Amino acid sequence: MKRIAILGSTGSIGTQTLDVISKKEDLEVTGLAAGSNITMLEQQIRQFHPKLAAVGDEKKAQELRERVADTDCKILGGMEGLMEMAAMEASDILVTAIVGMIGIRPTIAGIQAGKDIALANKETLVTAGHIIMPMAKKYGVRILPVDSEHSAIFQALNGESSRAVHKLLITASGGPFRGRKREELENIQVEDALKHPNWSMGQKITIDSATLVNKGLEVMEAKWLFDMDLDHIQVVVQPQSVIHSMIEFVDGGIIAQLGTPDMRLPIQYALYGGERRFLDGERLDFAALGSITFENPDMETFRGLPLAMQASRIGGSMPTVFNAANEKAVELFLKRKIRFLDIYTIIEETMNAHSVIKNPGVEEIITLEQETYRKIESRW
Ligand code: NAD
Ligand code: MG
């Protein structure tokens, strides 16, 4: 029996994780955590019977405590609650499906308690990869990627020595605005940006896919997960989202992982620590698909990718500033306070104004995140 705790159980990845667990006899839910959707969390508690549940919002935690008083589930609140849930004794694996840098501290709590991490939360490795990777090694825990691209690389790597890897080829759909030029993006509305051609995901990551910031975050994440420098990570646009990523080996051979766009596969693969199990769902039909096409990303129009790569090369605290500036900009865009292209302007201006701290600690990263938010709020 694998005992699983999920941070962010009410979101896109969280609910798909529960769907996978509900169909397997040897997977069990021990802990759940969400931000504020206690109606869904209550339903999940009644269906999956976890021992612990945590709610980010303290007031909502109290409300949930009253609602589920008839069950055996203990309810915790706030950051302390998320961290306690992440480190709970009764679990083996922690799924980090929470959105944003708020995921860093609970992830660390999970690692220090010896939990394997099924990692969906990108922000953790992007901003604190230099802390998380050595820590995982020290505590002997595995970081199992959930993101489809990193899972594809993890799957393609199966059995190969990391010395045999020459290059990672990360695929991208190109997002809903692929093929458009900068002038054509000036009047993009929130609704247009929320329409992803192939994947159904949370709002923030859907906007990040439209700006290619998401691909940038994935490159930064891949660098840490697979210990590769940026010169050996290439982004390839593959609009049908059938190839989820590839590895080019030193002999020129390439291994790719293909499948229909369904996050339940990478989620299940991570939950079983890299073992394959039956999964229902649509299979890839090559004849119906007809063709798979490729192109280079348009780095001039979609500045999210080159800005991310620049932040990653500079390193230290710059990836935190890149990520925090993007989080705030996406929030402002979703609230219709800025225009689509302003997202790039905000990221670039904020990065240019930052003096880099080498090797920032967790507290420095979190302080810098808040400072970055405040700076942008006062200016935009
Ligand atoms: P989502 O917005 O659908 O869900 C986010 C979850 O985080 C929700 O359960 C929410 O309650 C929880 N949360 C938010 N703030 C919280 C807080 N303060 N305290 C406790 N919980 C809080 O997001 P998502 O699309 O599921 O993405 C989650 C993470 O996984 C992101 O980092 C994203 O980049 C990554 N990811 C998602 C996908 C995808 O297909 N959706 C693919 C790859 C990676
Ligand atoms: Mg992805």
Side-chain angles (χ1 to χ4, degrees), residues 113-126:
K115 313 296 173 196
D116 281 335
I117 306 292
L119 184 109
N121 177 278
K122 301 183 186 202
E123 296 81 1
T124 304
L125 284 189
V126 166

Side-chain angles (χ1 to χ4, degrees), residues 57-89:
D57 180 322
E58 298 268 10
K59 261 202 204 138
K60 295 261 168 107
Q62 182 51 30
E63 206 184 317
L64 182 64
R65 207 167 281 133
E66 287 158 22
R67 285 206 209 172
V68 297
D70 61 312
T71 70
D72 297 329
C73 183
K74 185 177 163 196
I75 309 296
L76 307 166
M79 178 49 78
E80 291 301 314
L82 299 182
M83 288 171 66
E84 196 177 324
M85 199 290 290
M88 70 186 289
E89 203 176 333

Side-chain angles (χ1 to χ4, degrees), residues 122 147-149 214-215 218:
K122 301 183 186 202
D147 206 342
S148 57
E149 292 76 5
N214 183 53
K215 213 42 61 180
E218 290 179 354

